[in-house]
Amino acid sequence: METNKDMDALHGCNQERWQQAQESEFACWGGFEVGDGDDWSGYWQDNINGYEDLEGKTFDNVIEVGCGPFVQNLTKILEKISYKKAYALDPLLDSYNLHQKSRLYKVCESLGVIKIPLPLEKALSFEEDLEKKMDLVICNNVLDHCFDSDKCFENIYKMLNSGGYLVFGNDLKDPQDESIARDTLHPIMLQEGYLNEIFATYKTIYKKIIPREECRNPTATCGCFFGVFAKI
């Protein structure tokens, strides 16, 4: 039987382990030669109600955290809303930007997206104060690539204005599948109960959980969690 200590260990990792994950992430997406591509953005959109809960709304400040080299989640949502400023945050952002070939670079240049080359755990150390500034945070397929999910959720909550929206999607992992599911790219494993506790402090606008057999990678995931939540 898993203890609380065992479960806590699944939600974080040391810096050495996370650095290995970052190096693997960079290599996986093409490193300095990364070009146009996609990171399952259609999968997240389809399962988060097509982002219909955001359609036609106005958000002054929007950020995609853990945007990767493609920022497809951000661009799909920006097409459906009105906004004033958009931000993209990723610890590898400067590396993906280096040769100006990534979709991220093109999108940020064309839409005036403000780039933040930091991990989500350190987002509030950005030179521009982000606390209580964001009206919409997008966090799809991110948390299991981080090194401290508790800190990530704490920072997301702090970034959001009262009534601000969080779009969230992430694979769920069964601790019994750890030898498969906790690979180099995924140092953290999230469970449904843990996420339900996190989002109990939010108002649920939309929520959906699918079983293993409907997931994009049923070998390594036992389910997938999707939702739109508002900060109370």
Side-chain angles (χ1 to χ4, degrees):
M1 180 177 179
E2 297 287 337
T3 65
N4 287 337
K5 184 177 180 181
D6 292 331
M7 295 304 289
D8 288 344
L10 297 175
H11 303 147
C13 69
N14 61 38
Q15 286 296 298
E16 182 181 1
R17 174 69 178 82
W18 182 69
Q19 190 57 47
Q20 291 173 351
Q22 289 293 283
E23 291 169 2
S24 296
E25 190 88 19
F26 189 62
C28 176
W29 292 120
F32 293 118
E33 300 304 318
V34 65
D36 291 342
D38 194 2
D39 183 18
W40 290 88
S41 63
Y43 174 80
W44 306 109
Q45 181 175 10
D46 291 345
N47 283 289
I48 306 179
N49 200 29
Y51 300 138
E52 289 184 10
D53 298 285
L54 307 177
E55 188 122 28
K57 294 188 182 314
T58 297
F59 301 95
D60 285 350
N61 295 306
V62 180
I63 187 170
E64 181 179 2
V65 298
C67 63
F70 307 125
V71 288
Q72 287 275 22
N73 297 301
L74 178 64
T75 51
K76 286 179 182 294
I77 287 176
L78 292 183
E79 291 172 355
K80 292 180 172 290
I81 66 172
S82 297
Y83 67 97
K84 292 183 179 178
K85 293 176 73 174
Y87 299 75
L89 178 145
D90 195 284
L92 292 173
L93 194 149
D94 280 347
S95 296
Y96 288 135
N97 242 2
L98 185 62
H99 289 179
Q100 303 179 2
K101 292 184 177 181
S102 67
R103 187 176 191 279
L104 180 146
Y105 175 83
K106 298 171 186 175
V107 168
C108 290
E109 289 298 304
S110 64
L111 298 181
V113 175
I114 298 166
K115 301 181 286 294
I116 305 176
L118 292 171
L120 181 49
E121 292 90 341
K122 298 181 180 180
L124 298 185
S125 66
F126 183 55
E127 60 187 28
E128 182 178 336
D129 185 9
L130 301 181
E131 193 160 343
K132 293 184 179 178
K133 181 165 186 175
M134 295 300 156
D135 304 293
L136 174 61
V137 174
I138 305 159
C139 183
N140 286 340
N141 191 29
V142 174
L143 268 291
D144 49 355
H145 299 273
C146 297
F147 60 84
D148 185 342
S149 60
D150 289 343
K151 186 64 176 178
C152 289
F153 278 120
E154 178 186 327
N155 282 349
I156 287 172
Y157 192 83
K158 287 181 177 179
M159 279 193 283
L160 279 168
N161 281 318
S162 179
Y165 276 39
L166 167 59
V167 173
F168 182 84
N170 214 99
D171 295 326
L172 299 173
K173 305 289 182 68
D174 188 330
Q176 295 183 351
D177 296 334
E178 183 170 1
S179 62
I180 299 173
R182 201 174 197 181
D183 59 18
T184 306
L185 286 168
H186 304 91
I188 285 180
M189 298 175 66
L190 302 180
Q191 295 76 44
E192 181 179 345
Y194 171 76
L195 294 177
N196 284 336
E197 287 185 18
I198 293 290
F199 291 117
T201 61
Y202 290 77
K203 176 183 177 181
T204 299
I205 307 299
Y206 177 83
K207 180 180 173 182
K208 175 182 177 181
I209 299 171
I210 61 174
R212 182 188 292 269
E213 59 270 18
E214 295 179 20
C215 293
R216 59 191 182 133
N217 183 6
T219 301
T221 60
C222 64
C224 199
F225 190 107
F226 311 92
V228 179
F229 305 91
K231 181 178 178 178
I232 298 172

